[in-house]
Amino acid sequence: MEFYLDTADVAEVKRLAAVLPIKGVTTNPSIVARGKRDMVSVLQELASLLPADSTLFAQVIAREPQAMVEEALKLRAVIPDLVVKVPVTHNGLTAIKQLTQLNIPTLGTAVYGAGQGFFAALAGASYIAPYVNRVDSQGGDGIGLVTELQKLVGLHCPASKVLAASFRTPRQVLDCMLAGCQAITVDPQVAEMFLLDPAVDDALKRFDHDWSAAFGTLVL
Ligand code: E4P
């Protein structure tokens, strides 16, 4: 199971990478644009602060297949192990097929349908990213999408991984993991929600109280 942070906020990655068992970082054009920084310099900084066996993901901006492939090569010239995110459209699938022939790992993104995502896996994408919360927000069934896609990929393209994305709640994340997703990406805010139960603080206060009442100190 691979757990990623979905952010280009270098300070947040630094802070959370020390705490959470993350495999790497995923980004998209909106996320990078938020920081108003050049994509390559952000990726380089992220790569420099993560362990060497981490995985970074960045998305092509171009919309034509040849231009997507050229952007992918440009990004990989700077970050050699980068997984290239490509939207699963007609042009994106063309680019995924070409990149697969060049042995460049891809992630099929902007996936709103199981069949759409499955085509990306058949085209050779290493990862497929269904958008759970965005599907839910449309009145759809994000977890249902993930469950179907996971089953299709497991049956027919076991070399590809479903990397579930777009979350607003820890419950959505847990449901995807229970559906068998091999990878998940969450933004720092949602990642923090896993550790924000006030009952935990109350439990610790009680331990502190009981220990210091008995021994007058809070160290062993
Ligand atoms: C994943 O590929 C997407 O970039 C991302 O997770 C979308 O998340 P959002 O719906 O929170 O913007």
Side-chain angles (χ1 to χ4, degrees), residues 62-70 90-95 98-99:
R63 287 287 167 264
E64 295 303 319
Q66 194 48 40
M68 288 180 183
V69 170
E70 280 162 19
H90 289 73
N91 285 353
L93 282 169
T94 308
Q98 290 179 14
L99 289 166

Side-chain angles (χ1 to χ4, degrees), residues 6 27-28 31 85 107 109 129 131 134 165-168 185:
D6 199 22
T27 64
N28 68 29
I31 287 171
K85 294 178 67 176
L107 174 148
T109 194
Y131 281 9
R134 293 197 198 190
S166 177
F167 296 107
R168 286 297 166 272
T185 188

Side-chain angles (χ1 to χ4, degrees), residues 198-213:
V200 175
D201 277 345
D202 289 347
L204 295 188
K205 275 186 197 141
R206 187 170 188 150
F207 290 141
D208 289 354
H209 170 269
D210 292 348
W211 189 266
S212 54

Side-chain angles (χ1 to χ4, degrees), residues 5-209:
L5 286 177
D6 199 22
T7 182
D9 184 330
V10 174
E12 278 294 79
V13 171
K14 204 170 187 174
R15 185 177 69 82
L16 285 170
V19 178
L20 298 173
I22 64 164
K23 173 77 173 68
V25 168
T26 61
T27 64
N28 68 29
S30 306
I31 287 171
V32 175
R34 220 173 279 152
K36 291 202 165 32
R37 280 187 59 188
D38 159 61
M39 167 112 67
V40 167
S41 75
V42 175
L43 292 174
Q44 281 175 316
E45 199 171 344
L46 288 170
S48 73
L49 67 87
L50 290 169
D53 61 349
S54 305
T55 307
L56 273 179
F57 297 70
Q59 188 166 326
V60 291
I61 308 294
R63 287 287 167 264
E64 295 303 319
Q66 194 48 40
M68 288 180 183
V69 170
E70 280 162 19
E71 281 188 0
L73 294 172
K74 195 172 146 192
L75 291 170
R76 295 246 318 167
V78 185
I79 310 286
D81 298 327
L82 186 83
V83 180
V84 180
K85 294 178 67 176
V86 180
V88 185
T89 58
H90 289 73
N91 285 353
L93 282 169
T94 308
I96 288 171
K97 286 172 70 171
Q98 290 179 14
L99 289 166
T100 301
Q101 280 176 354
L102 296 171
N103 279 323
I104 294 180
T106 55
L107 174 148
T109 194
V111 170
Y112 288 76
Q116 178 203 6
F118 184 54
F119 273 147
L122 280 178
S126 305
Y127 295 90
I128 307 112
Y131 281 9
V132 176
N133 190 66
R134 293 197 198 190
V135 168
D136 284 350
S137 306
Q138 290 179 333
D141 176 7
I143 304 302
L145 160 63
V146 167
T147 306
E148 272 190 8
L149 184 56
Q150 181 61 51
K151 185 154 190 188
L152 286 166
V153 167
L155 283 172
H156 304 292
C157 301
S160 302
K161 292 179 183 171
V162 176
L163 188 156
S166 177
F167 296 107
R168 286 297 166 272
T169 68
R171 186 68 253 168
Q172 292 170 316
V173 178
L174 291 177
D175 284 340
C176 286
M177 293 193 278
L178 288 167
C181 279
Q182 305 99 318
I184 294 274
T185 188
V186 300
D187 73 30
Q189 251 186 318
V190 175
E192 287 282 12
M193 286 181 202
F194 279 96
L195 299 173
L196 283 182
D197 189 329
V200 175
D201 277 345
D202 289 347
L204 295 188
K205 275 186 197 141
R206 187 170 188 150
F207 290 141
D208 289 354
H209 170 269

